[in-house]
Structure formats: C-alpha cells, structure tokens
Amino acid sequence: MPTFELTPAMMREIIMDHYSSPRHKVTPEGEGYETLHSSSINCIDDIDVFLKFDGNGKVKDACWNGTACAISTASSDILCDLLIGHDEKEAKYIIDQYRKMIHEEPYDSSVLEEALAFMNTGRQAARIHCALIGWDAVEEILKGHHHE
Amino acid sequence: MYDVYKIRNDFPMLREPQTMQGHPLVFLDNASTTFKPDRVLDAMDVYNRKETANSHRGDYDLCNKADRAVAKARESVARFLNAGVNEIVFTAGATSALNLVAYGYCLKVLKPGDEILISLAEHASNVLPWFRIASLTGAKVKYIPLSEGNRITVEAVKTALTPHTKFVSVAYVGNVLGYIAPIKEIAALAHANGAVLCVDGAQSTPHLKTDVKDLDCDFLAFSGHKFCAPTGTGALYGKYDLLCAMDPFETGGGMNVKFYPDGTATYLLPPMKFEAGTLNVAGIIGLGEAVEYVSSIGLEEISAHEHMLKAYAVEKLLATGMVDIYNADSEGGIVTFNVHGVFSQDFATYLNAQGIACRSGQHCAKMLNDVLCVPATVRASFYLYTTKEEIDALVEAVKHGGNFLDAYF
Ligand SMILES: Cc1ncc(COP(=O)(O)O)c(C=O)c1O
C-alpha cells in the first residue's frame, strides 16, 4: 500500500496531465524497436506499443500511439515513464505490482510512482482493461524477449 | 393517451427500481437491447416450470402443447410483419438470419463478377457475411454512397446499381444514426435491376410498423431482444418461393424428411427446412408474446413517443452548448453525439458513474466513423418506456461532462 496519502485531486491531476499532454505518444522513426498491437473488443482503445533496449538489456526508449480514452492514454504514457532505464526483470516486477493494484490485491507501491493514480480504476469495471491495455502489450513483448 | 408510466409498470427492470453505481438506473441503450415485460417472462416461465417438452418430437400432450406454442408464435410474428406464416423462419437473431441468407441463398446463386450492394453505415452483421460470400463465390461487395446528411437516398442507390448487381442488403433503420432508408423504393429499383433485396430490420422492427408485402423486400432479418423478447431469438422473413429455392444452412434433426446410408436426404419444406435441431422453445414463446405486447401498445404510438423524445433530447442537449450531435434530423429514437473535448468512452464511463447506461464507440458500424470523421461517438437510444426525466438526467450529466474523471474518485 502507498506510504503517503495520494488525494483524489492529485490522482486526477496526474491522469489529466498525461492525458492532455502525453510525453511518449509517438510512433518512433528509428530502428531497433520491438512493437506490439493491442486492442479490445470491449472498447475503442486501439494502440501500438514500442520498446527499444540498450546493449545492457535496459529499456532505452518506450512509446505508444493510437486511439485511446483518458485512462488508457494516461496509463500507457505513465508506463513508458516507468519502464525507461529498467531491465526486463525490473520491468516485469513493476507491471506485476501494477496489475495487482488494479485488481485490488496487495501490492508493492514503492515502484509505481505516478501509476498509483489508477488505484481506483476498479470502481469502473468496464475501464479495467483500459488501464491495462498498454501494460498487457509490454508484458507480451517482454515474454518473447531474449536478452544476453 | 400514451401513458409511459403505466407502460413502465409492465417491466420488472423498471418497476422494481434498479441502481447502478448507487444511482437509479437510467437505461438509454435500447438500440443494444431492451427490457422484457411480465407477459414475456411469465409465458417463458410457464413453459420452463410447467410445460417443458420438446417441439415436434413426441406423441404426448405436453409435446403437442409445445408444438402449438411455437406455431402460435410463428403466427404472431407473421401477422406482425404481414407475412405468410410459412415465410417466417425462427433464428437466434438478426445475425443468424443474415447468415442464413448469405449461406443459404447467396452462396448458391452468386457467381464470380456478381455484385453485392450494401452501404457504409451497415452493422457488422450486415457486412461481414457478404465479405465471406464474396470471398467464397468471387462476387464483389460494393457500396451505396451516403448522402451529405448521411442518408441512403434513392438517387444514390440508382447510381450504385450496375448490371452486375445481384443482391442488395441495407438496414431499414441504421443503428448508429437512426435514419430510415427508403426501402420500398430500393426494392423497386433492385427488382427492376434483377437483384434481390435483403433488409436488416434489427433496428426497424421494434420501432416502425413493418409490412413486408408493402415494402416488397425479399428477405427481412430481425432480433427479438431489441423489442422486449429474450436474447437468442429472432427470425428471417423470406418470400416463400425464395425460401424454397434456398439451401439449408444447418442440417440435422427436425428439418429432414428422410435420409439414407448412401447420403441422399430430403428436407422438410420452409420454414422447417431452416430450423435444424431443437428449437429455442422458451425463447420463441417469449418472442411471440413480445410481438403481441408491442402490438397491443401500437407501433405507431411507439414511433410517435420516440419521435417526441428525440426532439426533446436534441433540443435540451443542444441548449447546453456542449455537444455535437451527428443525427439531429434522423427519424429514429437515437441521439448520437460527443461532448466537446471529452472522448466518447470517457463520457460513457462518467455516465455509468451517474447510473446512466449509454453506449460509446463505433456501435459495430466501423465503416461509418470515417464518414462522420470522428473515431467514436456516444449513443443514447430510446424505447417505448423511456421518459423525459431520463433524458433530463442525461442532459444534466452532459453539463458536468468536463468532470469526467470524477467517475474514478
Ligand atoms: C442494424 C443491426 N443489424 C444487426 C444487428 C445484430 O443483431 P443481433 O446481435 O441481435 O444478431 C444489430 C444489433 O445490434 C443491429 O443494430
């Protein structure tokens, strides 16, 4: 559980900020990106995620692009922020903790930073998959990813 | 006098107040599915609790009762559409009825180079079967262009028909915008062109008086659950000689006369020829009751009520100055809109938080959004039991739409 009080106003501000000005919403031009498409039959969200690793197996760049609601936009964007600089194992841990939070199970809040703003998503059951759409895709990329 | 409050009393979902997210439920997603009145539920309950037996499978009284119940429902549906009783095939809904036409009729008659004509506003269930048939037969799917106001006009149909057009399929009422297509005129044009006309009646049958003889359409598909019948019910109307010329789509018990080890089989005549397997007897009984219920209120009266609600909703929503409406002038009880600056799905979630059920997205008509130039819309759709107060709740929510993230806090 988070060690500090994140007020609804703060959560709202974090989500609105990443929704109205996402930092990582771009289709990358460069080489070396692994990519995966993610969409859902239950909603409009339809996005691609892109991951690039450096020589040490750490995420060098993460971005996403597509049609998405506020929740999927902000959650995918915050995910990109969280991933950069982490290796595969750390990235998997972060995703795992986030998934637990969304499903209202005990989780390690210390790695989630701004992603804690989504702790109430369970109140809107229809939007749970929006909060996960980017995260599911990154997890799939990591599954198929072999690094030395 | 149309008494909407009295009508609401017929529906357990409305009579016993339901809540969603702690608010009284406001159900404005009737183009998706509808509630069921006591009459429908009770008739199904009697069959399930007291009169269960298979239809046409036995020599005893209960079985005979089930047979008669199915026959009675078929008569109700036939009367409802002004069709012959042998022209009504029970199906699992509009989708399965359209697929029956696709695989039973089109697959048999279409040849490479033939054209299937549909519009860009069609529901997936009136698009994808034709894509499949095109790929199986070598026929091509072509589109009737929509007019400036997103209607299907007689002029547009005229220009889209070619000597190769053999089959036309359009919705009588579109499920996103609710415009009525000029079916009678399209039927005349199609026939003069040597083509067959199939009508997707999923959104028209519940709301508009439908007379298949007057329309002179060749096929008409509809779903029961969009007019107070249970899910998994519906029917295909087909002109009897066309049904006779059609191949069965599903084969098996209940539709054959005889079959032999050498693989020869003879089938029953339509409509039974197309009803393989045990029927959805309870559902069909419910469908028959729903038809009688809706008829007892009157399709003209229901249309007028929806028309009044539509005008009211458009006026109130526009007065907020906060929405774009994409179908203000359409005839159906559907308002399709977006709140300025709010993504449709986020607004629908906000509505959910207020207890209001509306649909957001592309509403299964994924080709239409390119025409409207928006990725998605919010759709509020009305039915015989919808009230002005429910529309007021929607309008109130629109006024606070900018706070859409409130749904999460
Ligand atoms: C215009 C139209 N056609 C077809 C269908 C498919 O109906 P069903 O899903 O009941 O088979 C629908 C239902 O949404 C519809 O609105």
Side-chain angles (χ1 to χ4, degrees):
Chain A
M1 297 295 126
T3 49
F4 62 95
E5 195 60 37
L6 200 57
T7 65
M10 288 156 77
M11 297 195 265
R12 180 194 313 264
E13 201 176 309
I14 292 167
I15 295 174
M16 260 336 252
D17 178 35
H18 281 270
Y19 176 48
S20 43
S21 39
R23 338 292 198 245
H24 304 282
K25 190 179 179 200
V26 60
T27 302
E29 302 254 311
E31 305 244 303
Y33 283 88
E34 293 172 51
T35 178
L36 198 78
H37 182 76
S38 195
S39 63
S40 155
I41 57 156
N42 297 317
C43 70
I44 306 159
D45 304 319
D46 189 86
I47 70 169
D48 292 296
V49 296
F50 306 91
L51 276 191
K52 186 173 178 170
F53 290 83
D54 68 14
N56 303 318
K58 290 197 160 128
V59 177
K60 189 165 178 222
D61 190 24
C63 38
W64 70 280
N65 212 344
T67 305
C69 68
I71 296 303
S72 43
T73 295
S75 70
S76 300
D77 207 60
I78 289 170
L79 167 67
C80 293
D81 267 349
L82 286 180
L83 290 174
I84 294 169
H86 289 287
D87 67 19
E88 186 191 321
K89 195 160 158 244
E90 292 161 345
K92 279 185 173 157
Y93 184 75
I94 294 168
I95 293 172
D96 218 35
Q97 299 316 305
Y98 177 79
R99 197 182 292 286
K100 285 185 173 153
M101 176 185 79
I102 295 292
H103 291 303
E104 301 179 337
E105 294 161 17
Y107 63 100
D108 171 5
S109 64
S110 69
V111 295
L112 291 184
E113 304 183 23
E114 286 190 316
L116 290 170
F118 296 96
M119 65 170 73
N120 291 334
T121 309
R123 287 191 195 164
Q124 296 299 333
R127 292 286 83 83
I128 286 177
H129 56 88
C130 301
L132 288 170
I133 188 168
W135 301 66
D136 286 343
V138 166
E139 194 167 50
E140 273 310 304
I141 293 181
L142 292 176
K143 266 190 206 155
H145 187 244
H146 305 287
H147 72 110
E148 287 89 310
Chain B
M1 243 307 272
Y2 193 93
D3 186 349
V4 68
Y5 304 101
K6 185 161 166 279
I7 289 172
R8 286 172 81 82
N9 226 15
D10 295 336
F11 291 81
M13 283 285 295
L14 299 167
R15 189 174 60 223
E16 296 145 27
Q18 305 297 318
T19 61
M20 198 162 72
Q21 300 253 323
H23 294 272
L25 173 65
V26 173
F27 189 76
L28 298 178
D29 194 18
N30 294 286
S32 183
T33 200
T34 56
F35 297 158
K36 291 121 195 74
D38 292 313
R39 182 170 172 172
V40 168
L41 297 169
D42 292 348
M44 290 169 60
D45 213 41
V46 167
Y47 169 76
N48 281 322
R49 288 180 191 277
K50 297 186 176 158
E51 299 179 352
T52 300
N54 210 326
S55 59
H56 54 68
R57 298 277 159 84
D59 306 307
Y60 49 91
D61 284 359
L62 267 189
C63 179
N64 184 258
K65 207 165 203 168
D67 274 350
R68 276 187 288 136
V70 169
K72 182 170 159 238
R74 205 186 300 275
E75 281 160 23
S76 292
V77 172
R79 207 177 315 117
F80 188 56
L81 299 177
N82 193 25
V85 78
N86 289 332
E87 296 178 315
I88 300 298
V89 179
F90 288 124
T91 68
T95 303
S96 67
L98 291 164
N99 276 279
L100 173 54
V101 176
Y103 290 90
Y105 180 78
C106 293
L107 188 58
K108 186 171 183 188
V109 307
L110 294 186
K111 301 275 172 304
D114 286 348
E115 292 172 5
I116 299 170
L117 193 57
I118 63 174
S119 89
L120 286 170
E122 301 307 321
H123 184 281
S125 296
N126 193 27
V127 177
L128 299 184
W130 317 124
F131 284 2
R132 287 283 299 144
I133 292 306
S135 78
L136 292 170
T137 60
K140 277 202 214 57
V141 175
K142 295 266 179 112
Y143 300 96
I144 304 164
L146 296 180
S147 75
E148 204 124 294
N150 297 316
R151 284 175 186 274
I152 297 175
T153 63
V154 175
E155 280 314 307
V157 175
K158 271 187 198 157
T159 59
L161 283 166
T162 78
H164 304 289
T165 312
K166 293 285 151 52
F167 187 81
V168 182
S169 192
V170 290
Y172 194 174
V173 173
N175 70 308
V176 181
L177 300 175
Y179 289 108
I180 297 178
I183 292 298
K184 195 170 169 172
E185 292 77 3
I186 296 173
L189 287 170
H191 293 155
N193 201 74
V196 157
L197 174 67
C198 176
V199 174
D200 175 355
Q203 296 292 345
S204 58
T205 317
H207 309 279
L208 268 190
K209 180 114 194 68
T210 304
D211 179 333
V212 290
K213 294 249 157 56
D214 179 55
L215 293 173
D216 197 25
C217 57
D218 300 292
F219 295 107
L220 182 134
F222 71 87
S223 292
H225 69 95
K226 293 188 198 283
F227 64 96
C228 308
T231 52
T233 65
L236 174 69
Y237 157 78
K239 283 185 182 163
Y240 193 71
D241 49 351
L242 279 173
L243 291 180
C244 290
M246 240 165 93
D247 280 341
F249 177 31
E250 290 187 314
T251 50
M255 56 75 71
N256 68 78
V257 182
K258 283 205 163 78
F259 54 92
Y260 301 95
D262 70 355
T264 55
T266 48
Y267 305 132
L268 292 170
L269 291 172
M272 264 75 92
K273 177 179 171 183
F274 305 105
E275 295 174 350
T278 294
L279 295 174
N280 175 6
V281 179
I284 289 170
I285 290 171
L287 175 62
E289 286 299 323
V291 161
E292 293 302 331
Y293 176 76
V294 167
S295 305
S296 73
I297 310 247
L299 265 294
E300 272 98 356
E301 286 73 12
I302 293 172
S303 290
H305 177 68
E306 291 172 353
H307 209 81
M308 178 278 291
L309 292 171
K310 169 73 179 279
Y312 182 76
V314 166
E315 184 201 322
K316 292 278 171 174
L317 285 170
L318 286 179
T320 65
M322 294 173 69
V323 296
D324 287 321
I325 297 181
Y326 303 100
N327 64 341
D329 63 339
S330 77
E331 297 83 1
I334 297 179
V335 186
T336 298
F337 65 99
N338 270 314
V339 179
H340 297 155
V342 185
F343 191 58
S344 59
Q345 189 163 293
D346 293 321
F347 188 64
T349 303
Y350 178 71
L351 290 178
N352 176 53
Q354 315 301 314
I356 304 172
C358 270
R359 173 125 184 233
S360 80
Q362 297 157 337
H363 321 294
C364 292
K366 298 189 184 196
M367 301 187 296
L368 182 60
N369 287 83
D370 289 339
V371 179
L372 298 179
C373 300
V374 286
T377 53
V378 183
R379 180 183 73 182
S381 50
F382 317 136
Y383 204 23
L384 75 169
Y385 43 61
T386 307
T387 62
K388 280 185 170 180
E389 290 78 15
E390 290 180 305
I391 291 168
D392 291 339
L394 173 70
V395 172
E396 220 27 58
V398 165
K399 289 183 187 158
H400 302 101
N403 302 329
F404 64 90
L405 283 180
D406 281 357
Y408 300 92
F409 304 112

